[in-house]
Amino acid sequence: MKTAHILSLGAVLLSYAAEAHYIFQAVSTSGAKGAEYQYVRHNTNRNSPVVDLASLDLRCNVGGSSGASTETLPVAAGSSVTWTADTAVYHQGPVSFYMTKVANAAEADGSTPWFKIKDIGPTFPGGSWEKCTQKSFVVQIPKCLPSGDYLLRIQQLGIHNPGGAPQFYVNCAQVKVTGGGNGNPSPLVSIPGAFKKTDPGYTANIYNNFKNYSIPGPPVWTC
Ligand SMILES: *[C@@H]1O[C@H](CO)[C@@H](O)[C@H](O)[C@H]1NC(C)=O
C-alpha cells in the first residue's frame, strides 16, 4: 500500500518534470541579487502557462495580483535588471518586457496602463527558431523613465503548437526606479486587452516557411 503511494507520487513528479515548463522566479541588479520570489510575486499555478487572452491572470500570472509578501527592488534608471527562470526557457517564442507605473508597487494589481520596453525575437533571414537554452534575460530600465514605483513584467510566449493557443509564461517584479527622467512612455495598453487571437505572432507556424515574425503587443517605447 505504502509502496503504491510512493510510486504514484513519483509518477506525478515525473510528469511535471516532463512538461518542461518554467517560472521566472527572481530578478537582480548589479547591487542586489534577488532570491527566488524576493522581488517577484509568487504565482500559484506551479509552472503552468496562462492561455486565456481575456484573463486577469495575464497581468502577473495566477496568484500574482497581490504583492503583500513581496519586497520592492530599487533600480537606477538606465541600469539593467536580470530575470532568472527556474529552468531553461524551452518553448520557442518571443520574450517581452512591460512596465506599469503605480502609486505603490506592493499594492498594485496591474490594472494600470502598461508599456513595453523590450522585445527579444527571432532574427531574419534564417527562418528557424531554435529551442532556447537560456535561463536568464536582461532588460535595461529606460534612462528617461520617471522615478517611482512600477511593476516590471516579463512575458514569454510558447508558440510551439501552430494552430493551438499560445502559452503565456508571465511573472511580475516590484521595482522602485530612482534617478529617472521626464520620459513619457507610450503607447499605453491594458492587460488583458493588448493581445488578440488574430495577432500574426500567435498564428505563425515556426516550422514551415518561417520568413518573418511580428512580436505581439504594442511597439517598444524608447527614450
Ligand atoms: C509576415 O509578413 C506578412 C506581410 O507583411 C504579414 O501579413 C504576416 O502577418 C507576417 N507574419 C508574421 C508571423 O508576423
Side-chain angles (χ1 to χ4, degrees), residues 38-87:
Q38 185 178 358
Y39 305 111
V40 175
R41 291 186 176 182
H42 247 291
N43 57 293
T44 53
N45 55 342
R46 304 184 60 108
N47 57 7
S48 300
V50 179
V51 296
D52 178 358
L53 292 182
S55 171
L56 297 184
D57 295 332
L58 276 184
R59 292 172 181 165
C60 293
N61 207 347
V62 180
S65 62
S66 162
S69 59
T70 311
E71 294 175 46
T72 298
L73 173 68
V75 184
S79 71
S80 292
V81 174
T82 302
W83 278 91
T84 308
D86 58 334
T87 180

Side-chain angles (χ1 to χ4, degrees), residues 200 204 212-214:
N212 64 313
Y213 185 74
S214 348

Side-chain angles (χ1 to χ4, degrees), residues 41 54-61 63-68 98-115 149-153 155 170-174 188-195:
R41 291 186 176 182
S55 171
L56 297 184
D57 295 332
L58 276 184
R59 292 172 181 165
C60 293
N61 207 347
S65 62
S66 162
Y98 288 79
M99 295 182 84
T100 184
K101 183 138 181 36
V102 295
N104 179 330
E107 290 169 7
D109 65 359
S111 60
T112 39
W114 294 85
F115 52 96
D149 280 19
Y150 290 82
L151 296 180
L152 171 64
R153 173 179 179 275
Q155 167 185 295
V170 289
N171 285 96
C172 289
Q174 297 174 192
L188 300 172
V189 297
S190 54
I191 301 176
F195 315 110

Side-chain angles (χ1 to χ4, degrees), residues 7 21 33 48 61 65 78 94 98 111 119 123 133 144 148 169 194 202:
L7 281 177
H21 292 171
K33 174 146 182 35
S48 300
N61 207 347
S65 62
Y98 288 79
S111 60
D119 277 329
T123 47
T133 53
C144 69
Y169 296 90
Y202 301 136

Side-chain angles (χ1 to χ4, degrees), residues 196-218:
K196 306 218 164 27
K197 226 175 165 168
T198 48
D199 289 348
Y202 301 136
T203 51
N205 184 329
I206 60 172
Y207 309 109
N208 190 13
N209 199 21
F210 187 53
K211 295 214 166 62
N212 64 313
Y213 185 74
S214 348
I215 297 176

Side-chain angles (χ1 to χ4, degrees), residues 8 11 15 22 25 30 33 39 59 64 69 97 100 112 129-131 133 140 160 199 206 219:
S8 68
S15 74
Y22 31 85
Q25 290 175 318
S30 60
K33 174 146 182 35
Y39 305 111
R59 292 172 181 165
S69 59
F97 302 86
T100 184
T112 39
W129 205 330
E130 298 302 324
K131 282 201 178 190
T133 53
Q140 187 187 17
H160 50 289
D199 289 348
I206 60 172

